[in-house]
């Protein structure tokens, strides 16, 4: 399973790649707006830093304008993955970008059939927002499980990207289901390697080592 970081915060990305292998970055207009920088200046910097796929999202909603914006975004850096909304216009643009071999991440997916249509439109990856489904009392992970089964039934190459991750259990469940990619916030990526017994065990080992030195 590939691990992406879900942030537009340059210093968070820098801190995480110094410690863990990271396979990509996902951003969205909300995350970009929190940085106070423009997408045009920020995305190339992130791409240069990580040298991995970086999703950059369109904000146009009408097909022709969205297509032009998508082309501009893809020119920002060779590692840009154009993020498109799961709408009629978004899927139409997805097909056009597929013809040009521009990678895409179809976002805001909340059902297996939406995911199927995104895959059939040539999406490189499809982002299923599990946290937002859980928020409305639906099972985000069931949508992921059903999507994986459908993609396997038809040998679809689109990668299933689990997004809107709120906690470690979402990541564990994704790995158990065989998800291709998870994208998680900085905080959750750090939490997954932590365990109280690791801290207690290390403390005891250090105490033993110090006691030995005193002898
Ligand atoms: C995915 O690419 C999105 O940026 C993200 O996971 C959205 O998550 P949220 O529901 O926490 O906003």
């Amino acid at each position: 399973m590939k691990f992406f970081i879900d942030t537009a915060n340059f210093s968070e990305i820098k801190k995480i790649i110094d410690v863990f292998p990271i396979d990509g970055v996902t951003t969205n207009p909300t995350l970009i707006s929190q940085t106070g920088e423009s997408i045009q200046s920020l995305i190339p910097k992130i791409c240069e830093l990580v040298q991995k796929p970086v999703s950059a999202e369109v904000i146009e909603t009408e097909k022709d304008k969205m297509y032009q914006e998508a082309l501009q975004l893809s020119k920002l850096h060779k590692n840009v993955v154009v993020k498109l909304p799961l709408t009629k216009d978004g899927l139409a643009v997805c097909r056009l970008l597929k013809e040009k071999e521009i990678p895409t991440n179809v976002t805001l997916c909340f059902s297996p059939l939406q995911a199927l249509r995104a895959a059939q439109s040539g999406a490189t990856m499809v982002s299923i927002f599990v946290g937002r489904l859980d928020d409305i009392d639906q099972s985000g992970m069931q949508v992921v499980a059903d999507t994986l089964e459908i993609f396997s039934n038809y040998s679809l190459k689109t990668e299933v990207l689990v997004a809107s991750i709120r906690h470690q259990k979402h990541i564990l469940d994704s790995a158990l289901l065989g998800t291709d990619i998870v994208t998680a916030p900085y905080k959750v990526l750090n939490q997954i390697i932590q365990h109280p017994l690791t801290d207690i065990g290390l403390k005891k080992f250090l105490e033993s080592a110090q006691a030995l030195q005193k002898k």
Side-chain angles (χ1 to χ4, degrees), residues 8 19 29 49 152 163 173 187 192 206:
V19 182
L49 177 68
S152 164
D173 290 345
K187 190 174 144 203
I192 58 175
L206 294 179

Side-chain angles (χ1 to χ4, degrees), residues 14 17 29 35 38 40 52 67 74 77 79 103 159 172 180 185 189-190 193 213:
K14 192 153 178 8
I17 62 174
T35 70
S38 72
Q40 288 78 10
K52 296 281 162 86
Y67 180 57
S74 77
H77 195 279
N79 291 341
E159 291 186 293
L172 175 62
D180 301 289
L189 287 176
N190 276 298
I193 64 134
Q213 280 167 0

Side-chain angles (χ1 to χ4, degrees), residues 37-55:
E37 274 196 64
S38 72
I39 193 167
Q40 288 78 10
S41 77
L42 191 56
I43 292 294
K45 280 197 285 183
I46 296 175
C47 289
E48 273 305 303
L49 177 68
V50 297
Q51 297 294 329
K52 296 281 162 86
V54 175
S55 292

Side-chain angles (χ1 to χ4, degrees), residues 15-27:
K15 274 190 275 179
I16 210 92
I17 62 174
D18 283 345
V19 182
F20 307 118
I22 284 292
D23 305 295
V25 178
T26 49
T27 69

Side-chain angles (χ1 to χ4, degrees), residues 6-7 26-28 31 55 57 83 105 107 127 129 131-132 135 161-166 183 185:
D6 194 26
T7 187
T26 49
T27 69
N28 64 41
L31 295 171
S55 292
E57 188 162 343
K83 212 171 175 190
N105 173 356
T107 190
S127 290
F129 280 43
R132 294 194 196 183
D135 289 346
L161 191 163
V162 178
S164 186
I165 280 184
R166 303 274 195 261
T183 189

Side-chain angles (χ1 to χ4, degrees), residues 85-99:
L86 210 156
T87 59
K88 283 182 191 169
D89 294 78
L91 294 186
V93 173
C94 185
R95 290 174 65 191
L96 295 173
L97 297 183
K98 171 79 178 164
E99 282 167 20

